[in-house]
Amino acid sequence: MTRLSRRGLLGLAGITAAGAALAACNRDTSLNPLDWQPLPTQPPTPTARAAEPLSADEALARLLEGNQRYVTAQFAHPDQAPERRAELAGGQAPF
């Protein structure tokens, strides 16, 4: 049995791949592009929005209220406490 060199093996693999590609491109298909139908789609889901847009003064007031809560450490969520932030500052490992 003749041993195949690495170059010969790669050449044979290339010829085989090219032959397979040509065979796949040359097959006869009975699909007619004029018979194609679009895929079914779903209507877009509405985006949740605020009930009414805020004025610039209302937005500023809400930001200032939130900043005041932050400064006085009165957080709406328990994981926002200064102790928790200090714990996370050392590094996180989600997995």
Side-chain angles (χ1 to χ4, degrees), residues 9-82:
L9 180 63
L10 290 174
L12 183 61
I15 290 171
T16 304
L22 284 174
C25 291
N26 194 22
R27 67 181 187 169
D28 183 29
T29 60
S30 59
L31 295 177
N32 183 356
L34 298 176
D35 295 335
W36 292 355
Q37 297 294 322
L39 294 174
T41 59
Q42 294 181 347
T45 55
T47 304
R49 301 193 186 272
E52 295 179 20
L54 297 176
S55 69
D57 291 334
E58 291 169 332
L60 180 60
R62 286 181 62 182
L63 289 170
L64 290 173
E65 288 171 14
N67 186 52
Q68 187 61 35
R69 283 194 315 272
Y70 180 83
V71 170
T72 59
Q74 297 175 348
F75 302 105
H77 193 277
D79 283 342
Q80 294 175 336

